[in-house]
Amino acid sequence: MLERYYCIGCGNSKSKPFMNWILDEIGICRECCGEIKTTKDMTFEGKEFIDIVISPFLYEGIIREIVRAFKFNGQKRYGDFLTALATEYIKNTDILDEYDLIAPVPLHKNRLIERTYNQSDIISKRLGAIMSKEVNYTSLIRVRDTLHQSSLKGADRIKNVKDAFSVTDGGFEGKKVILADDIYTMGETANECAKALRIAGAEKVAVFTLCKRVIKQKSGLI
């Protein structure tokens, strides 16, 4: 009897010849893999306190649905798979090799109770295992219970996360830090985290996310 694996894209059970990527008992089938949209160069210029951003996937289509299931619907195991898949797409990029350790973007305790887990912790743990890097889960904290960034626009997004993060000890002093999260949109949250890390003495901050959300501007009539 052929081994079968659950495709987290289409939700079907398929045998190994029809799967493209597998981790344990789940994966992405060949058909769904063809629908994954990637960012062209994988890397982007950072904001004020960020040196570089690495995001292999576009937050669209099948990846958007999988990430949302991971983030909001309790599918914790999807995080391990998505992180492993993302690192496959950036394996020819050696930019992160020089960095010392990984820190997840923290949730406020109220949001953590609501979700039961921090998706960024799961991403960081798998990324750390793949890259053989230490993960500091506790030193970077969120000091304010902010609103969902996705519910805000423009200046309100900046105001919402301003000074919302702090570092509790000297664990980042002189270190080059990879800040890990699921989605990079405008970068306000990541930039505020990076600011806290820099204040705490971090030498450099790179951001690694599974995907990048592209905000499409509405074109006006000429």
Side-chain angles (χ1 to χ4, degrees):
M1 185 176 178
L2 288 174
E3 281 189 289
R4 301 187 72 82
Y5 302 87
Y6 177 76
C7 174
I8 62 175
C10 61
N12 294 319
S13 176
K14 298 187 178 184
S15 60
K16 192 171 184 178
F18 293 95
M19 300 296 289
N20 211 345
W21 301 96
I22 296 169
L23 180 64
D24 299 326
E25 78 282 6
I26 65 172
I28 290 280
C29 71
R30 294 179 181 273
E31 186 175 352
C32 289
C33 194
E35 296 181 21
I36 294 175
K37 296 180 180 180
T38 59
T39 57
K40 286 184 178 180
D41 299 322
M42 309 289 172
T43 60
F44 305 88
E45 184 178 351
K47 296 176 78 72
E48 184 181 3
F49 298 100
I50 300 169
D51 291 281
I52 194 166
V53 179
I54 297 182
S55 298
F57 305 127
L58 284 174
Y59 184 62
E60 296 179 6
I62 198 166
I63 285 292
R64 180 181 182 274
E65 296 309 311
I66 296 171
V67 169
R68 287 185 62 82
F70 163 49
K71 188 171 182 174
F72 299 117
N73 297 335
Q75 296 293 348
K76 294 173 65 174
R77 60 181 182 162
Y78 289 11
D80 283 332
F81 178 81
L82 286 167
T83 306
L85 184 63
T87 56
E88 278 294 318
Y89 276 79
I90 65 167
K91 64 183 179 182
N92 294 324
T93 302
D94 60 1
I95 296 170
L96 296 180
D97 292 350
E98 66 171 302
Y99 286 79
D100 302 304
L101 54 82
I102 300 166
V105 171
L107 285 179
H108 190 271
K109 60 182 180 180
N110 293 341
R111 190 69 54 82
L112 187 59
I113 291 170
E114 176 187 321
R115 289 189 186 169
T116 73
Y117 61 89
N118 180 4
Q119 72 277 3
S120 300
D121 284 352
I122 295 171
I123 294 168
S124 296
K125 183 178 181 180
R126 176 59 68 167
L127 185 63
I130 292 170
M131 301 187 71
S132 299
K133 293 187 186 294
E134 174 192 351
V135 181
N136 185 326
Y137 295 99
T138 59
S139 296
L140 178 64
I141 63 170
R142 189 182 295 245
V143 295
R144 287 196 294 104
D145 190 4
T146 57
L147 299 173
H148 290 281
Q149 285 289 83
S150 58
S151 67
L152 304 171
K153 295 181 180 180
D156 288 334
R157 294 174 67 97
I158 299 172
K159 183 179 178 181
N160 185 48
V161 292
K162 183 172 175 57
D163 298 325
F165 303 92
S166 182
V167 171
T168 60
D169 56 42
F172 300 114
E173 189 170 352
K175 301 293 187 180
K176 298 175 182 177
V177 184
I178 301 169
L179 182 67
D181 203 4
D182 51 355
I183 307 165
Y184 188 92
T185 305
M186 302 301 292
E188 291 91 353
T189 298
N191 195 50
E192 285 296 317
C193 286
K195 181 175 76 173
L197 292 170
R198 295 289 189 126
I199 291 171
E203 182 183 336
K204 296 179 72 174
V205 179
V207 174
F208 169 88
T209 65
L210 302 175
C211 49
K212 187 177 190 304
R213 183 183 179 193
V214 177
I215 303 296
K216 296 178 181 178
Q217 301 293 332
K218 293 182 179 180
S219 58
L221 297 176
I222 299 176

